[in-house]
Amino acid sequence: MRRYGKVALLSAAAAMVAVFLYYSSRMVKDLSEQERQRMEIWADATKDVVNALDAGDGNVNIDFPLGILNRNTTIPVLLTDDDGNILQHRNFNLPGPVDPLGGLSPVNEAFLKKKLEKLSSTSNVIHIAISEGVAQHLYYEDSTVLKRLNYYPYVELLVMLAFVAVVYFAVRSTQKADQNKVWVGLSKETAHQLGTPISSLMAWMELLPEMGVDADTVAEMNKDVARLTTIASRFSKIGSAPLLELADAGEIASRAAGYMSTRISSRISLDVRHDGGRLPVKACGPLFEWVMENLIKNAVDAMPDGRGSIAVRAGSDRPSVAFIEVEDTGRGMTRKVMKSVFNPGFTTKKRGWGLGLTLARRIVEQYHGGKIYVLRSTPGVGTTFRIEIPLAE
């Protein structure tokens, strides 16, 4: 359903952009045609003035065509003869000083010739038949308004894309914030609900020796009760900034692997490797061990037929960064699964809420300023998760 909502949003945005671009292009085309018509009228006025002046008839009133010529204050025009000599120019921003008598300085003349050369290769030209064998040629540029309108669709497109991007990320951020509130509330409620039975179990544990229960059995049960207490404490820390203390990343990885080694099948080997040397980091031990246990548990669940091997490595291959990797020989993941594996609610298991890796990423990235990602994964070969966390100074 969420995917369809995104598709609908993008489709609506694309439709809006298409409509705006269509009407903008129509407006530009209509204005271009209007300017062409104005230039044709200007060409006719030029012809009337030239013919009147050549005839030398003082009774001919040329005020009207001259008025047409003078009213053009927006469209740059060049009037030339058959030999390409510039007879008249209007509305160009000349780079050099303008001669009040109408002469052209070398700089301005070169500028206008370059404009003429450029306009000669366009369709913005009107040929004026002055008389038999005599012709003039009117070249014109688009007005400033039309030039701006030519860029308007692209500006419009950028604005629309920016608007869609803002809306999309706003929706995503809102959804993510809502999801975070749900996960935080769920975690704290879980911790609260575990508190009562844990307290009851601790009370019972004190009575068991008096009831003649074997001491070794009581000791193992105490370990499990302590484990439940640790789990409840971990859940209670979600949503609030945990206390970070100086710890060794290699020791954290070893403790988590040591705990899990007695709780997985003997058909799965669990190997811990350390590059040597201390890896001092600022970390919340219980939460970070939770991340490690989650990765190891996922690796166990990925083993085909419950057989395989898991390697936990800790070290530093870059300045100021420690890494911990969990590599398994499980089923591996496709690229599609790799992109979604940290999304809340995503799971490939028949049972589970799909929250483990989501919470792991929150713990590593938000609380410890690190990164967690799939380093590599090949279907049928295995997967390697990598955690990176800054070394303490």
Side-chain angles (χ1 to χ4, degrees), residues 164-293:
V164 171
V166 169
V167 171
Y168 177 77
F169 285 110
V171 172
R172 283 291 302 273
S173 298
T174 302
Q175 290 177 340
K176 190 174 181 180
D178 291 341
Q179 289 172 350
N180 285 337
K181 289 179 181 178
V182 172
W183 308 144
V184 170
L186 180 62
S187 298
K188 291 189 176 297
E189 181 62 21
T190 301
H192 176 70
Q193 293 295 333
L194 285 172
T196 301
I198 289 174
S199 299
S200 178
L201 285 171
M202 292 175 69
W204 279 105
M205 294 305 300
E206 295 179 1
L207 296 176
L208 289 179
E210 300 175 6
M211 298 171 64
V213 178
D214 181 68
D216 291 338
T217 302
V218 174
E220 288 301 317
M221 293 179 68
N222 270 321
K223 289 180 182 179
D224 288 332
V225 172
R227 181 65 182 172
L228 284 173
T229 303
T230 300
I231 292 172
S233 174
R234 289 172 177 175
F235 275 110
S236 68
K237 287 181 170 65
I238 298 298
S240 57
L243 176 63
L244 303 183
E245 299 177 332
L246 190 63
D248 185 87
E251 292 179 2
I252 293 176
S254 297
R255 282 200 303 270
Y259 172 79
M260 293 298 296
S261 63
T262 60
R263 288 161 175 77
I264 62 177
S265 170
S266 59
R267 295 181 299 177
I268 298 175
S269 64
L270 178 56
D271 182 30
V272 181
R273 306 170 192 169
H274 198 305
D275 288 353
R278 283 184 55 80
L279 298 171
V281 296
K282 287 284 189 177
C284 175
L287 286 182
F288 214 89
E289 288 179 29
W290 186 8
V291 174
M292 293 300 305
E293 292 167 13

Side-chain angles (χ1 to χ4, degrees), residues 77-81 83-89 92-95 104-121 139 141:
V77 295
L78 280 174
L79 187 65
T80 70
D81 58 19
D83 296 327
N85 297 313
I86 297 175
L87 305 176
Q88 189 179 159
H89 63 87
F92 285 102
N93 293 321
L94 299 176
L104 286 174
S105 65
V107 174
N108 291 341
E109 185 176 6
F111 172 80
L112 291 176
K113 284 184 177 180
K114 187 175 291 187
K115 284 287 185 182
L116 176 60
E117 182 180 353
K118 183 178 179 180
L119 290 171
S120 298
S121 61
Y139 298 91
E141 278 189 346

Side-chain angles (χ1 to χ4, degrees), residues 55-67:
D57 188 352
N59 295 323
V60 177
N61 189 341
I62 60 173
D63 290 342
F64 180 71
L66 282 175

Side-chain angles (χ1 to χ4, degrees), residues 17-36:
V17 169
V19 170
F20 278 119
L21 289 178
Y22 172 75
Y23 280 103
S24 296
S25 61
R26 282 293 304 271
M27 185 165 55
V28 169
K29 184 178 179 181
D30 291 344
L31 185 57
S32 179
E33 291 177 354
Q34 290 178 16
E35 290 194 352
R36 176 81 181 187

